[in-house]
Amino acid sequence: MRRLRTYGFVAAFLAVPFVLYTVFVISPYIQAFQISLTSWNGYSSVVSYVGLDNFVRLLRDEVFWRALRNHGVMLVTLPLVTIAIALFLSFLLNLGGGPGGSGVRGLWGSRFYRVVFFFPQVLAVAVVGVLFQAIYRPDEVGVLNGVLARLGIEPVGWLIEPSLALWSVIAVMVWQGVGFYVVLFSAGMAAIPKDYFEAAALDGAGRLRLFFSITLPLLRDTVQVGWIYLGIAALDGFALIQVLVGNKGEPDGATTILPITIYNNAFSYGKVGYASAMGVALFFLTVTFAVLTLRTTRRERVEL
């Protein structure tokens, strides 16, 4: 009887969140799967079912494959660069000071630097986009090109050159995201017993040895989580690209991504069924990426 009451108490608390999650998360997914099998234009009361025709059309759509290629570049670059920079900065802030009188310590002023690094994370994506529009301006008024002009270098079209546009967007995503992962990895490093570092330092281990032999192995699970989050971010990027370069994938399709393509098909071309098919494809790409990352990085848990 007591166990039954406990289960009833827990179920009563979970009922409302479960209903809200079902209505606002599960239900839209199910509707998207259903709409992807139609040729619905978004406003007509007549819905024609076309089966898997939208998915067959995806396989022949050059814009879809171009978006996938861009996502592939972002999936490799964004997590790798962001995590590498965040790990480096976190190590400096927490352990970069080397051994001191009270053990291994971080750099002086590390608390202040954590706030500075985290600051871009609190800015709205629209604010970041407008800020970097000014930085990336293709004339000498732009911040970057103004510096280059002083060095005698011709202005660079950061967002209008097809070979540079996507890399410029990725650079902004790295800049905005690094601060969060500095805090995340710093929390992970704080959970590692200092005795490990002090013992290694007494044995003559340098900073590189401390990082690769102690810090990185014990942060593996945290890095895994960060990699998944960044991979999901690489499969999104809608708001930032929308503000920076618009929703046409300019220049020459260099910044075309699936969320932008979904938006265009649904709201500009009235092809809601086809856009839903792209959304379903993006959903399975995201789930596949997360599952593969978890499986390939799985290992025995290290007990501290």
Side-chain angles (χ1 to χ4, degrees), residues 12-48:
F13 271 95
L14 293 179
V16 174
F18 177 77
V19 170
L20 291 176
Y21 186 80
T22 301
V23 171
F24 293 106
V25 178
I26 302 299
S27 176
Y29 278 129
I30 295 175
Q31 292 178 40
F33 294 151
Q34 180 185 7
I35 294 172
S36 69
L37 302 176
T38 72
S39 60
W40 189 44
N41 58 15
Y43 55 85
S44 174
S45 59
V46 179
V47 179
S48 301

Side-chain angles (χ1 to χ4, degrees), residues 1-10:
M1 181 63 70
R2 181 178 297 176
R3 181 176 297 179
L4 183 61
R5 288 178 180 176
T6 301
Y7 288 158
F9 182 77
V10 173

Side-chain angles (χ1 to χ4, degrees), residues 127-139:
V127 174
V128 173
V130 172
L131 174 65
F132 275 88
Q133 276 185 331
I135 293 175
Y136 283 149
R137 278 191 58 160
D139 51 31

Side-chain angles (χ1 to χ4, degrees), residues 115-283:
V115 175
V116 172
F117 292 144
F118 191 77
F119 178 73
Q121 189 68 32
V122 304
L123 296 177
V125 177
V127 174
V128 173
V130 172
L131 174 65
F132 275 88
Q133 276 185 331
I135 293 175
Y136 283 149
R137 278 191 58 160
D139 51 31
E140 294 183 3
V141 178
V143 176
L144 282 178
N145 283 323
V147 174
L148 294 179
R150 291 179 178 274
L151 298 175
I153 302 175
E154 292 293 323
V156 177
W158 302 103
L159 295 175
I160 61 177
E161 290 289 336
S163 60
L164 292 176
L166 184 61
W167 298 108
S168 299
V169 172
I170 293 174
V172 179
M173 297 175 75
V174 170
W175 176 82
Q176 187 181 25
V178 159
F180 173 80
Y181 295 97
V182 167
V183 174
L184 179 67
F185 296 150
S186 293
M189 291 180 189
I192 301 174
K194 298 297 183 184
D195 295 346
Y196 292 5
F197 299 108
E198 292 169 7
L202 290 174
D203 288 338
R207 289 186 178 88
L208 287 178
R209 177 65 67 180
L210 288 175
F211 179 77
F212 286 104
S213 296
I214 299 178
T215 307
L216 193 55
L218 294 177
L219 278 181
R220 185 185 179 98
D221 292 341
T222 307
V223 172
Q224 179 190 68
V225 171
W227 198 283
I228 293 174
Y229 284 171
L230 285 164
I232 294 173
L235 290 170
D236 183 14
F238 171 82
L240 182 63
I241 292 180
Q242 175 85 346
V243 176
L244 276 177
V245 295
N247 62 355
K248 301 301 182 183
E250 299 294 342
D252 196 24
T255 57
T256 298
I257 57 173
L258 281 179
I260 292 289
T261 308
I262 292 170
Y263 175 87
N264 288 336
N265 277 280
F267 300 107
S268 298
Y269 311 143
K271 300 176 181 178
V272 176
Y274 187 55
S276 297
M278 285 190 177
V280 171
L282 180 59
F283 169 79

